[in-house]
Amino acid sequence: MRYAASIILLLISLPMQPNAQDITDALRPFVGLRGMGARALALGGAYTAVSNDYSATFWNPAGLTQLNKNSFYTSFGHLSHSADISYGSNSASISDESYSRLDGIGVTFKVPTQRGSLVWAFGRNMLHGFDNNLIAPIDNSGGTLSVLENGGIQAWTGAMGIEISPRTSFGVSLNLLTGSRDYDFRLTGTSDDIAYIIKAEYTGFSMIFGGLYRGDKANVGLSITMPTYYKVEDIGVGSLEDVGTNEYKLNMPFKSNLGISTNFGDFLIAADLHFIDYSQIDFDSDIIDLNDIIIDGEINRAIAANLNSTVGYGVGLEYLLPYSNAKIRFGLSDSPSAYKNDVGDDRFAISAGAGMLLDKQIKLDFTYIRTKWERQLGSELFTQLIKEDAVDGRFLFSISYRY
């Protein structure tokens, strides 16, 4: 699985309680944000102080004011994933998996004004992907555990950027969040074969406020994602007695990004810091456990005890090739683990890309991001140490048409 806690859930909790919510369910829609835009991700996600295309709806809506024409934007992504997992004397290798999805599509409209700039944007942005495929042996019993998982969460976005002074812009994005997760679990070849399917439906809402100051030597950007809300409905069917339907609500507190960018001749240099406090996630439901006690208190205490606040970064460099309309880009980023005790779980990514203006209207961007991580985790229910060595490769292609 992509997350070590998810592996624990697969190997321990799920065969016994497949429909019982826990800290993994609370965390799932808030981690692993894809980010969007080939140029932005080639710069390591250091885009809060740049944000001069449609992808500003995700990074910093205040940057929309820098667009001087209407535009149509679309982006496609291809993800490959591989991992080696070991627990005790057992091991599992996930063969290379490949998934292709629409990364984002949208339009921007520049409103005529007597002074300053006012730009509207509307579109659909992909936030999360739940695609996963795992086959692993269970102990020495000859049994096999297999998981097939797919789905994702997307944002239906409306955004606005407006200049409030010659150098300062303000923006806001409103996002209607919808998605689903299909989870197929099978345990075969043992005395107690298990098979069940869980389908989760997500609906939610988020709002992003952004500000951008354009100085003589550098731009400074700030974006704040207000508390994000999700309502989740899990529907389970299978061979165990406790499958059924559960509903719960999730709230994720503030997330903030601070960025700076500057130009030196044909070079653009950008850097970002992002802060998230995962320990403040709130789980709310009417679900009761085997002792007829609502599980909310137990899960929220586990969130506070096991999750932490994180500060990640991204840096990027862009260079305009001489005598051409082409640019090359490089980036680095680091996203710390949400779990307090995940040693070595920081996601370190290296990215590279290129962009080209075909004419005054059409712009193409290409990017490849490689993310690698190693993790070691244990559990009170599973004494053997779980180890994972994983690599993600993501290719993005964006096209923008200005008119």
Side-chain angles (χ1 to χ4, degrees):
M1 295 291 288
R2 308 283 172 82
Y3 304 96
S6 297
I7 300 172
I8 294 176
L9 185 66
L10 288 175
L11 299 179
I12 309 160
S13 304
L14 281 176
M16 297 180 290
Q17 294 179 317
N19 210 39
Q21 273 62 47
D22 67 2
I23 188 173
T24 307
D25 296 284
L27 185 63
R28 182 178 290 112
F30 300 121
V31 297
L33 281 175
R34 290 173 175 265
M36 67 168 298
R39 184 185 181 213
L41 292 173
L43 293 173
Y47 215 57
T48 306
V50 182
S51 294
N52 56 1
D53 56 24
Y54 167 79
S55 68
T57 58
F58 176 88
W59 300 100
N60 183 0
L64 290 170
T65 60
Q66 300 177 97
L67 279 69
N68 54 22
K69 292 184 178 181
N70 299 338
S71 69
F72 170 80
Y73 174 94
T74 187
S75 180
F76 299 90
H78 179 82
L79 176 70
S80 61
H81 175 74
S82 62
D84 292 323
I85 302 170
S86 63
Y87 45 100
S89 60
N90 298 298
S91 63
S93 292
I94 302 177
S95 58
D96 289 343
E97 308 166 42
S98 297
Y99 310 98
S100 297
R101 290 188 182 276
L102 180 67
D103 180 57
I105 185 169
V107 293
T108 65
F109 301 97
K110 186 173 179 63
V111 180
T113 57
Q114 290 186 345
R115 64 178 64 181
S117 175
L118 172 62
V119 178
W120 292 91
F122 303 92
R124 173 186 178 274
N125 306 329
M126 191 69 186
L127 299 183
H128 296 274
F130 295 133
D131 303 303
N132 187 62
N133 185 11
L134 171 67
I135 299 176
I138 299 299
D139 297 325
N140 297 316
S141 63
T144 300
L145 178 150
S146 64
V147 174
L148 179 62
E149 186 177 16
N150 58 70
I153 297 177
Q154 57 273 334
W156 301 91
T157 299
M160 177 271 292
I162 184 171
E163 280 188 351
I164 57 177
S165 75
R167 291 180 179 269
T168 307
S169 300
F170 169 81
V172 59
S173 289
L174 303 178
N175 303 291
L176 175 63
L177 309 173
T178 64
S180 64
R181 171 177 170 261
D182 295 322
Y183 183 92
D184 188 324
F185 178 95
R186 305 295 169 98
L187 179 62
T188 59
T190 67
S191 57
D192 296 313
D193 287 359
I194 298 172
Y196 60 85
I197 297 172
I198 294 177
K199 184 177 180 64
E201 297 287 345
Y202 293 83
T203 55
F205 177 80
S206 71
M207 181 182 298
I208 303 171
F209 290 102
L212 180 67
Y213 176 78
R214 299 177 298 278
D216 291 331
K217 296 183 178 181
N219 292 352
V220 179
L222 173 68
S223 69
I224 298 176
T225 302
M226 303 299 289
T228 300
Y229 164 85
Y230 277 106
K231 179 181 179 181
V232 188
E233 180 179 1
D234 275 355
I235 303 174
V237 295
S239 60
L240 297 186
E241 295 180 357
D242 55 354
V243 296
T245 300
N246 284 326
E247 292 185 1
Y248 54 95
K249 300 174 183 178
L250 301 171
N251 284 282
M252 175 70 187
F254 296 92
K255 171 188 175 183
S256 58
N257 284 18
L258 176 65
I260 185 170
S261 67
T262 186
N263 289 280
F264 292 100
D266 293 332
F267 288 91
L268 168 69
I269 301 173
D272 264 28
L273 290 176
H274 48 86
F275 172 82
I276 310 173
D277 189 353
Y278 293 103
S279 68
Q280 296 300 307
I281 294 175
D282 181 68
F283 183 96
D284 180 24
S285 77
D286 293 323
I287 304 171
I288 60 175
D289 61 18
L290 298 177
N291 297 315
D292 293 330
I293 298 175
I294 295 178
I295 66 174
D296 298 9
E298 179 183 351
I299 292 179
N300 286 323
R301 282 193 293 270
I303 289 171
N306 294 285
L307 303 185
N308 62 357
S309 58
T310 66
V311 178
Y313 70 85
V315 294
L317 174 68
E318 181 178 77
Y319 174 62
L320 174 64
L321 296 175
Y323 311 108
S324 74
N325 290 323
K327 297 179 179 180
I328 56 174
R329 307 173 182 117
F330 303 93
L332 302 173
S333 66
D334 181 72
S335 298
S337 170
Y339 288 91
K340 291 180 180 179
N341 299 321
D342 271 6
V343 178
D345 188 28
D346 291 4
R347 306 297 180 92
F348 185 75
I350 301 175
S351 54
M356 177 180 295
L357 282 171
L358 296 185
D359 51 37
K360 293 183 179 181
Q361 280 75 42
I362 300 176
K363 180 173 178 287
L364 304 179
D365 292 293
F366 306 86
T367 294
Y368 179 78
I369 312 112
R370 187 175 187 271
T371 307
K372 185 176 182 180
W373 67 93
E374 298 178 357
R375 290 178 289 190
Q376 298 184 7
L377 273 182
S379 168
E380 293 179 358
L381 298 177
F382 191 69
T383 57
Q384 295 170 320
L385 197 64
I386 296 173
K387 300 179 181 180
E388 180 182 18
D389 187 353
V391 176
D392 277 354
R394 185 179 175 196
F395 175 79
L396 285 171
F397 165 69
S398 299
I399 181 170
S400 179
Y401 174 72
R402 297 178 291 184
Y403 59 94

